[in-house]
Amino acid sequence: MVIVGHEPGGQLSITTEVENYPGFPEGINGPELVENMKLQAERFGAEFMWGSVSEVDLSQRPFRINIDDEWHETRTLIIASGASARWLGLPNEQKLIGHGVSSCATCDGAFYKERKIMVIGGGDTAMEEANFLARFGSEVTVVHRRSEFRASKIMLDRARANPKIKFLVNTVVEDVHDVSQSMVTGVKLRDVVTGRVWDQEVDGFFLAIGHIPNTKPFVGKIDLDPDGYIVSKGGARTNVTGVFHAGDVQDRVYRQAVTAAGAGCMAAIEVERFLEAEGH
Ligand SMILES: Cc1cc2nc3c(=O)[nH]c(=O)nc-3n(C[C@H](O)[C@H](O)[C@H](O)COP(=O)(O)OP(=O)(O)OC[C@H]3O[C@@H](n4cnc5c(N)ncnc54)[C@H](O)[C@@H]3O)c2cc1C
């Protein structure tokens, strides 16, 4: 049984082209890839259920899972609830995801060869993404709302030494254009010190302000790290016997469809062996 949650199909369902999933030399549309995976899983007996998990009782077996106010029992559980990118909440931001707005440089950087790229954030991720994107873009502007950076000195120094990377500090983004053309053409920026507002041309707009793991129902029930990611106990195991993890909900480093799918495979094999050992 697969519980589909608030975002059926997961993060790939909100993207356009996926260029780096193996087996598709020309790339594949995200929702199409997800639909193919669903059909393949159904062919092997998976059932999909609408609803979200709000609460779990993992203190006894079978485990109890509350899905939309109804309790269900299960012998084993794979948590693959992902980690949602933080967005700025700009009026046009969500409408332009996959059309120039991105939360994943690894996924989308190659679309911006010799184009103008903007990266939002001031931490290590923002510096890493800026350095990576500078391989593709004609210029990369890092926009940060403060003058001080959270990024480590080594990451910041590397970005500062890159001639393609420029910094705009004490600056926030007010909105991103242009929904009428279904593509990013520019942003409206505001200097928080002087109050000056201006438009700047941009082709690719990358958010690097963190992710929020979707682990709210599991707080206090399994081991989570201080940011809420599941702590792995090796393989796909959590600290609770019979509860496994897969994908971005445990992985704060790679965050790719192929790594999440691989982790799903690991979890499925662990579940199969666990149930087998229990005589099911
Ligand atoms: C815009 C965008 C573009 C991307 N492009 C690429 C790309 O080109 N190539 C690539 O490799 N990767 C890409 N990624 C990253 C990739 O999508 C993720 O790494 C991958 O989807 C992670 O899979 P997952 O199954 O761990 O989590 P997710 O895809 O996040 O799926 C989590 C699922 O859990 C469900 N869920 C969450 N909470 C609950 C709950 N309480 N109860 C029930 N269900 C719940 C959600 O509804 C969702 O269906 C992109 C991501 C984004 C946001």
Side-chain angles (χ1 to χ4, degrees), residues 18-230:
V18 178
E19 296 282 2
N20 60 355
Y21 196 83
F24 300 95
E26 305 302 323
I28 182 166
N29 183 270
E32 192 185 339
L33 177 58
V34 166
E35 184 57 21
N36 283 346
M37 289 180 179
K38 181 169 179 272
L39 291 172
Q40 194 171 1
E42 279 175 334
R43 189 156 71 84
F44 289 94
E47 289 174 26
F48 288 77
M49 180 179 179
W50 288 84
S52 282
V53 176
S54 56
E55 203 183 339
V56 293
D57 178 2
L58 306 178
S59 63
Q60 53 185 334
R61 302 241 296 271
F63 302 126
R64 296 174 70 239
I65 315 289
N66 190 319
I67 306 162
D68 286 356
D69 291 331
E70 221 174 78
W71 286 96
H72 296 254
E73 291 190 337
T74 181
R75 289 186 179 124
T76 175
L77 176 67
I78 298 174
I79 304 172
S81 47
S84 307
R86 276 183 212 273
W87 303 100
L88 289 173
L90 308 172
N92 289 330
E93 193 178 40
Q94 297 292 310
K95 295 173 198 150
L96 290 168
I97 291 175
H99 300 278
V101 171
S102 173
S103 59
C104 178
T106 316
C107 313
D108 297 330
F111 295 127
Y112 299 95
K113 285 199 178 96
E114 293 307 316
R115 313 293 290 278
K116 290 183 177 150
I117 296 173
M118 186 165 275
V119 175
I120 313 302
D124 276 349
T125 309
M127 298 313 132
E128 196 175 303
E129 305 235 320
N131 274 310
F132 176 75
L133 290 165
R135 291 189 208 166
F136 304 102
S138 56
E139 60 173 52
V140 177
T141 308
V142 177
V143 174
H144 183 43
R145 62 190 164 151
R146 302 199 183 91
S147 55
E148 299 296 316
F149 288 89
R150 246 185 317 112
S152 57
K153 187 174 178 309
I154 186 163
M155 295 297 290
L156 190 57
D157 287 349
R158 197 177 301 158
R160 281 185 168 142
N162 190 320
K164 279 194 187 173
I165 300 178
K166 296 177 189 150
F167 289 87
L168 271 178
V169 293
N170 292 321
T171 302
V172 292
V173 186
E174 301 260 281
D175 207 357
V176 52
H177 316 300
D178 179 2
V179 174
S180 68
Q181 294 184 57
S182 288
M183 63 189 276
V184 169
T185 58
V187 290
K188 187 184 282 295
L189 300 167
R190 179 167 54 87
D191 186 313
V192 293
V193 177
T194 64
R196 182 172 81 99
V197 174
W198 75 102
D199 284 321
Q200 187 159 318
E201 272 181 31
V202 159
D203 304 300
F205 183 76
F206 287 81
L207 282 302
I209 52 173
H211 284 73
I212 308 165
N214 299 315
T215 47
K216 212 166 152 215
F218 308 103
V219 174
K221 311 293 170 75
I222 58 168
D223 282 356
L224 305 174
D225 74 13
D227 294 326
Y229 286 89
I230 295 177

Side-chain angles (χ1 to χ4, degrees), residues 256-277:
Q256 294 294 294
V258 63
T259 49
C265 170
M266 289 164 66
I269 290 173
E270 298 245 20
V271 157
E272 204 268 330
R273 289 180 185 165
F274 167 76
L275 291 175
E276 174 92 23

